[in-house]
Amino acid sequence: MWIRNIILGALLLLGCAETRADDALAQQMVQGVREQYDPDNMSSQEYAFEMLYIAYGTADSYSVKQEISEELLRVYRNYTNFVKYRVAPFLDSYDENKDSLYSKLANYKDLRGKYFHGIALLMDAGKRQNAQDAKSAMVMISQCAAEGYAPAAYLMSGACALGLDGVGVARNETYAYRWLVMAAEGNYAPAYEKLAAIHWDADGNYAAKWDQAAAIEYLDKAIALYSEFSNLSDSDARAELAAYIRSLQLIRAHMVSFKGYRTGDIMSGFYPTFLALRLSTFSEGESGLRSRAYYIVQAMNDYPGTFHLGNLPNLDLSLIPIRLSANDPDVGGYMVPYYPSNDTLSLKVDVHVENYAYGNDEASHWKREISINSTIAHEFAHCFLAGRYRSVFSQFYPYYEYVVEGHATHAQYAFSNYYYFNNAMTSETFATSWLSSKYAGYFRWYRNNCLLPNGCTDWSVIEQHERSASPTGEGGKNRKLISGPSGTFKAPIFFR
């Protein structure tokens, strides 16, 4: 800005027209771009595109505009080719620091830029709680999807599967499947991976038929597409991608072994979903538990009614340590809330994997898997509840364990039943086969006192218990989650 003011001031003193000042400034900007331009550096190309775009708008004369336009087009073509051949599509994520770039790319009719610009507008509308702007942003994203931009089609598929009425996307299983196929046809690896998952599960949210053979074929395509980028320049990303591909190969091996197999012979009603197979590929160490937690909490978030989350505040898992622990031989896990103030809290989760029996047969292996993963669901249900309801966690409240453990065991039941038993396990089977007699009592009490007829939690009952437990009669209050002494944690790069 100060350069422009100096140039304009000098030219005006000389009695020159402002149009020449605009041309001069535009040409100066172009020269600056040329001096720093590196066709092998993505940031350099993005800077060049933005500056040339601005320079074009700054110039006044046709000849200068034409010159800049030609250079802008060359830079844009180089940039799009760089993105196409050197940026892994499944790692090409939105960056809030590039909102200005996305806006200019969108105006330049670039689908990728338009898509990320739509994401930026959607996030901004969410912060401002402006439903109309959020709907407009989703229209922009759907336009990108309709024009063949695979990541946008993938996003639209998930939106239609879940139904996001707040942004104008109704739940539609047929559209969810069509968008997903369109994304896969754009050679988007996550779309093929999702097709594998929904056909393995016969996922009704996508109107997907149960087809184990097709699921394996789709997973093969996903693995092949991921493998095309196995030589990523960033060593950390390359190592994580290699690990991710290995996990998909392990999932595939499980799928092949289960294809046509009577899994109910392992346990009554047992059928491991794609997520169950994925979770089994992670270690039981702390890094593996963290990866498991990300997928489990995402699954719970997708269906909040089913997992008894209601209007509970979301969790930022980067702020919650999840640790191995051997402090208590009588429990599978433990969640500890800390309240630095009435408006904030920090959380930590311990998982006692050593308390679950090992075995040398298939049934005991999967029982251990179900126990570990459902324990994670249980403990994070505590985390969700603690984010809004503090007083019911007081051990001096007579119904403390009935409310808190009753809620968490219901989340645990929903998780186990859906992801391992195809919703075929009755609540009483869960209570008698998977819970201690004490926890089964909490589970049954909550079932009798805190559920709506549709099986979801009646939050008015929980609110009443919170007020009864509070010394001041205060009801539920969303609190800000902050990091504790352990600091923050990195999310898995390939978590989706």
Side-chain angles (χ1 to χ4, degrees), residues 4-79:
R4 175 183 172 86
N5 290 339
I6 289 173
I7 293 173
L8 289 179
L11 291 172
L12 287 171
L13 286 173
L14 294 171
C16 299
E18 185 174 335
T19 56
R20 290 182 59 192
D22 291 338
D23 280 349
L25 181 57
Q27 289 171 325
Q28 186 180 34
M29 295 171 68
V30 171
Q31 184 58 37
V33 167
R34 290 170 179 166
E35 290 174 358
Q36 69 82 45
Y37 183 65
D38 180 358
D40 290 321
N41 182 281
M42 187 169 178
S43 295
S44 174
Q45 292 186 76
E46 290 175 337
Y47 173 81
F49 177 84
E50 277 209 88
M51 289 301 100
L52 290 172
Y53 185 99
I54 295 170
Y56 179 86
T58 301
D60 184 77
S61 67
Y62 173 80
S63 60
V64 174
K65 280 186 175 290
Q66 185 65 22
E67 177 187 351
I68 296 173
S69 177
E70 292 173 359
E71 190 150 357
L72 179 61
L73 182 58
R74 285 195 297 272
V75 168
Y76 172 74
R77 286 173 174 169
N78 288 339
Y79 175 57

Side-chain angles (χ1 to χ4, degrees), residues 35 45 162 165 174 192 224 236 271 288 293 325 330 355 375 381 389 432 440 442:
E35 290 174 358
Q45 292 186 76
L162 297 175
D165 292 337
T174 302
Y192 275 117
D236 290 338
Y271 181 78
S325 181
D330 297 323
N355 290 344
T375 292
Y389 297 104
T432 56
Y442 302 144

Side-chain angles (χ1 to χ4, degrees), residues 127-299:
K127 291 175 183 176
R128 293 184 290 106
Q129 296 185 328
N130 188 311
Q132 188 55 50
D133 285 354
K135 291 177 181 178
S136 297
M138 283 302 296
V139 169
M140 181 179 293
I141 292 169
S142 68
Q143 289 171 347
C144 294
E147 292 179 56
Y149 188 64
Y154 184 77
L155 185 149
M156 288 302 302
S157 173
C160 290
L162 297 175
L164 302 179
D165 292 337
V167 293
V169 181
R171 186 172 182 271
N172 189 306
E173 303 91 334
T174 302
Y175 285 173
Y177 190 81
R178 289 177 182 174
W179 282 125
L180 189 59
V181 170
M182 184 180 293
E185 289 173 345
N187 285 328
Y188 192 52
Y192 275 117
E193 186 180 343
K194 189 67 176 180
L195 281 169
I198 64 174
H199 281 291
W200 182 261
D201 299 349
D203 193 334
N205 296 300
Y206 293 84
K209 297 179 180 179
W210 186 57
D211 191 333
Q212 293 179 318
I216 294 170
E217 290 177 9
Y218 285 132
L219 189 58
D220 283 339
K221 291 180 179 178
I223 291 170
L225 287 169
Y226 283 122
S227 299
E228 288 181 4
F229 291 89
S230 57
N231 292 322
L232 291 170
S233 58
D234 182 272
S235 59
D236 290 338
R238 185 169 64 250
E240 288 211 33
L241 175 58
Y244 191 74
I245 292 172
R246 285 195 298 273
S247 75
L248 295 181
Q249 291 168 336
L250 288 172
I251 293 171
R252 185 189 188 281
H254 278 310
M255 293 168 81
V256 170
S257 70
F258 281 132
K259 181 184 175 185
Y261 182 60
R262 291 173 51 130
T263 54
D265 291 343
I266 298 174
M267 286 179 279
S268 178
F270 176 69
Y271 181 78
T273 61
F274 191 88
L275 177 61
L277 300 180
R278 184 194 295 283
L279 295 175
S280 72
T281 69
F282 296 121
S283 75
E284 295 179 3
E286 288 180 358
S287 63
L289 292 176
R290 176 155 295 279
S291 295
R292 291 171 188 246
Y294 267 90
Y295 284 99
I296 291 168
V297 170
Q298 181 60 61

